Amino acid sequence: MTTHGRPIRIGLIGAGGIGSVHLQVLGRLRGECEIVAVTDTALSLAEQRAKEYGVPVVPADPEKLIAMPEVDAVIIAVPNKYHKAYTLAALQSGKHVLVEKPMGLNAEDAKEIVRAERKYGKVVMVGHQMRWDWVPLRIREQIERGELGHIYSAKTGWFRRQGIPGWGSWFTRKSEAGGGPLIDIGVHMIDLAFFLLGEPKPVAVSGAVYAEFGPRKRGLGGWGVPDWNGYFDVEDFATALIRMEDGRTLTLEVSWAAHVDGDSLPFVHLFGTEGGAVIRGETGKFLTERDGKPVDIPLDPPADDEGSRVRLARHFLECIRTGRKPATSVETGLRSNLIIEGIYESSRTGREVVLDWSI
Ligand SMILES: NC(=O)c1ccc[n+]([C@@H]2O[C@H](COP(=O)([O-])OP(=O)(O)OC[C@H]3O[C@@H](n4cnc5c(N)ncnc54)[C@H](O)[C@@H]3O)[C@@H](O)[C@H]2O)c1
């Protein structure tokens, strides 16, 4: 459970919404890891969190945390704009990195991270917990047993009806977030769908994005703190078709705000020759036919589930201990950034975009 016989020592940059979630989750893995430092540009917030979670050191800035010899791994839980700089600095300082999603603000940032990971040879993992939920893990097992046959297409998305996070804050500024729901929640759905499809290589995308609610300060709600002196220059709705090298397709639809019927839960549909599967929020079912008639088989939750975020954290620690490549590797992070950037470009140009995989 340790590197060289001791718990893995973690420094956290960013004590906001998801930073606090990391503190809670890692607190459940005492013995395997310990959080030795936390910082944030809002230093008083970092101090407050340090007190709450018993973190001994609050360095004055992220550079000081990254330089600490007693830190083995850094978690980067700050606005998307800073993911690249802190990841690169941490790698240069010999640390492993868990960087929140999206890995890069854009594809070029993601490529720089891929190059740095290859150069420094440390673990870099992207924070996608949804593939660690019990439902996709169970469905993946069914796929591996051949129960769905050949999966030729999939559909994924997440329609929030009134869910624009922190209007005017970094969340709704292109220069700091990289985009709207596509890069915020769409990135999770892309990762989840590619996991279920067995990690195919996407080669082209076609899409369109719209901003019909945010500019009018409508459809607000959910995560984040509004900044009424700020602005909104991202999309609030996106739709896309992603083509794989092997001919399979994935459709993606996301919104932060839309007049849409339904339950606002993230979903995935898998279309296989022998069976289908659907995930809706934290539930799932397997779809097949018996005697020519459609049959739905709900998936039963495990009796004692430690949860996706704990499994994600365990996987990160295990990769550090063993040197194994994380499931959500830098290459998967680049894949998401390429797709997202391709959708923005396709929306701008009205054409399909071929993804540029050159590193
Ligand atoms: N995996 C998930 O489910 C999930 C959920 C929410 C957010 N996220 C991701 O986590 C990251 C942070 O999101 P959040 O919701 O916690 O945002 P947040 O605004 O709640 O928190 C961000 C924190 O970073 C601090 N900060 C800003 N710039 C900084 C800098 N340059 N150096 C150090 N600290 C800085 C802010 O003061 C704030 O406390 C984003 O990349 C977001 O996409 C992931």
Side-chain angles (χ1 to χ4, degrees):
M1 299 290 151
T2 58
T3 44
H4 311 298
R6 57 167 173 69
I8 292 165
R9 300 162 307 181
I10 293 178
L12 172 67
I13 303 176
I18 201 69
S20 304
V21 173
H22 283 292
L23 287 166
Q24 284 162 27
V25 168
L26 294 173
R28 293 173 57 185
L29 298 175
R30 286 214 179 84
E32 292 185 58
C33 67
E34 54 183 311
I35 306 158
V36 295
V38 55
T39 192
D40 192 295
T41 40
L43 209 54
S44 59
L45 180 64
E47 279 159 0
Q48 193 184 320
R49 295 278 179 266
K51 212 176 275 173
E52 270 170 61
Y53 291 92
V55 181
V57 184
V58 181
D61 55 52
E63 290 71 23
K64 291 201 175 68
L65 181 146
I66 286 168
M68 282 172 63
E70 57 272 50
V71 166
D72 301 311
V74 175
I75 297 182
I76 299 169
V78 295
N80 307 345
K81 178 184 172 182
Y82 305 105
H83 289 186
K84 179 187 81 173
Y86 291 152
T87 300
L88 265 48
L91 284 171
Q92 278 158 14
S93 183
K95 317 297 193 210
H96 304 285
V97 177
L98 172 57
V99 58
E100 264 305 336
K101 58 81 191 166
M103 186 173 83
L105 186 69
N106 50 45
E108 192 40 52
D109 277 14
K111 287 183 181 183
E112 272 189 66
I113 292 175
V114 171
R115 288 194 286 267
E117 186 252 12
R118 291 179 185 176
K119 178 171 173 191
Y120 293 102
K122 293 285 170 182
V123 171
V124 181
M125 176 165 145
V126 190
H128 283 297
Q129 71 282 357
M130 289 178 81
R131 61 161 73 201
W132 295 99
D133 276 337
W134 70 268
V135 181
L137 290 172
R138 186 79 62 76
I139 292 174
R140 208 37 245 161
E141 284 168 17
Q142 289 183 296
I143 293 169
E144 273 156 27
R145 287 197 298 268
E147 291 173 27
L148 276 73
H150 170 62
I151 301 170
Y152 48 91
S153 191
K155 180 178 175 67
T156 190
W158 194 341
F159 285 116
R160 286 195 183 148
R161 193 160 171 173
Q162 295 188 318
I164 295 180
W167 192 98
S169 74
W170 72 268
F171 275 108
T172 67
R173 302 179 192 176
K174 179 92 176 167
S175 62
E176 289 170 74
L182 184 54
I183 200 158
D184 179 35
I185 52 180
V187 72
H188 271 315
M189 304 321 296
I190 293 169
D191 182 73
L192 179 58
F194 274 81
F195 167 63
L196 291 164
L197 287 167
E199 317 283 359
K201 183 175 183 183
V203 288
V205 300
S206 183
V209 303
Y210 303 87
E212 301 296 345
F213 285 74
R216 296 187 287 159
K217 293 198 176 81
R218 287 175 54 186
L220 314 187
W223 193 272
V225 182
D227 171 2
W228 302 117
N229 296 317
Y231 57 90
F232 183 106
D233 68 347
V234 294
E235 83 284 358
D236 50 35
F237 186 101
T239 180
L241 176 73
I242 302 157
R243 291 181 186 282
M244 313 299 167
E245 196 175 34
D246 59 12
R248 298 190 291 160
T249 50
L250 171 66
T251 59
L252 170 71
E253 293 167 318
V254 288
S255 68
W256 270 346
H259 292 303
V260 61
D261 189 22
D263 47 21
S264 291
L265 293 173
F267 62 85
V268 184
H269 296 266
L270 299 175
F271 304 106
T273 51
E274 306 307 317
V278 58
I279 299 176
R280 190 176 298 284
E282 291 173 3
T283 64
K285 54 186 179 175
F286 176 55
L287 309 163
T288 187
E289 53 182 12
R290 301 250 160 88
D291 304 323
K293 298 218 166 59
V295 178
D296 293 6
I297 304 168
L299 303 177
D300 292 328
D304 192 14
D305 183 21
E306 65 180 358
S308 57
R309 292 188 191 273
V310 173
R311 276 192 285 275
L312 175 143
R314 275 192 205 289
H315 180 63
F316 181 54
L317 299 174
E318 191 213 332
C319 289
I320 293 173
R321 285 195 303 269
T322 60
R324 198 178 137 191
K325 188 108 172 164
T328 46
S329 64
V330 288
E331 286 78 11
T332 68
L334 170 60
R335 179 179 68 201
S336 295
N337 277 121
L338 283 173
I339 290 170
I340 289 164
E341 198 163 294
I343 294 169
Y344 289 136
E345 194 187 330
S346 173
S347 186
R348 242 185 348 260
T349 60
R351 296 183 180 280
E352 185 169 75
V353 171
V354 174
L355 304 185
D356 174 9
W357 277 95
S358 63
I359 300 293

